[in-house]
Amino acid sequence: MEEDFYFSKKQFIKGLKMPKSIDGLMMKRGDVSLAKINGEWKKYTESVPRGRKPLSNHDDLVLIGYGNDVEIEREKLSQEQIENLIIEMENNH
């Protein structure tokens, strides 16, 4: 199935800040969604079937690419990596 892949910095930061319970400890979510589009790994926050409107309505949502049978991975991050990414993304506003 062919899909469109979108990225929103606001949605990405919100997702990183989302709490997750690990053994009773509240921590920030520790994964990033990646899609291999045209041979390049890119972060994405949403994917939808080709031609459909994205579900989110963030004003900074952009189409980053599309493809058929695109490779998808989830990259696990440490809490330190999450904190650094949040700071980096918020500073690049």
Side-chain angles (χ1 to χ4, degrees):
M1 174 170 75
E2 203 166 25
E3 292 182 88
D4 290 334
F5 291 87
Y6 292 88
F7 182 81
S8 160
K9 188 185 293 188
K10 291 176 182 177
Q11 188 175 359
F12 183 70
I13 292 171
K14 184 178 176 182
L16 286 176
K17 290 182 174 180
M18 194 178 301
K20 173 181 168 183
S21 177
I22 300 175
D23 294 331
L25 294 171
M26 290 307 289
M27 302 177 81
K28 291 183 173 62
R29 193 179 83 176
D31 65 331
V32 173
S33 299
L34 302 167
K36 193 172 190 178
I37 302 168
N38 297 325
E40 183 181 344
W41 286 102
K42 297 181 180 185
K43 291 182 195 85
Y44 73 95
T45 54
E46 186 172 349
S47 67
V48 294
R50 184 88 174 115
R52 290 226 181 126
K53 291 181 80 171
L55 300 173
S56 63
N57 59 355
H58 294 278
D59 60 357
D60 67 339
L61 190 69
V62 294
L63 177 68
I64 59 167
Y66 60 90
N68 196 19
D69 297 324
V70 171
E71 287 182 65
I72 294 174
E73 283 190 3
R74 298 238 189 271
E75 181 180 322
K76 292 289 180 194
L77 303 174
S78 69
Q79 287 299 298
E80 184 178 351
Q81 288 173 308
I82 293 168
E83 295 297 334
N84 289 337
L85 250 179
I86 290 170
I87 291 167
E88 179 186 322
M89 297 295 272
E90 288 179 334
N91 288 338
N92 290 332
H93 244 240

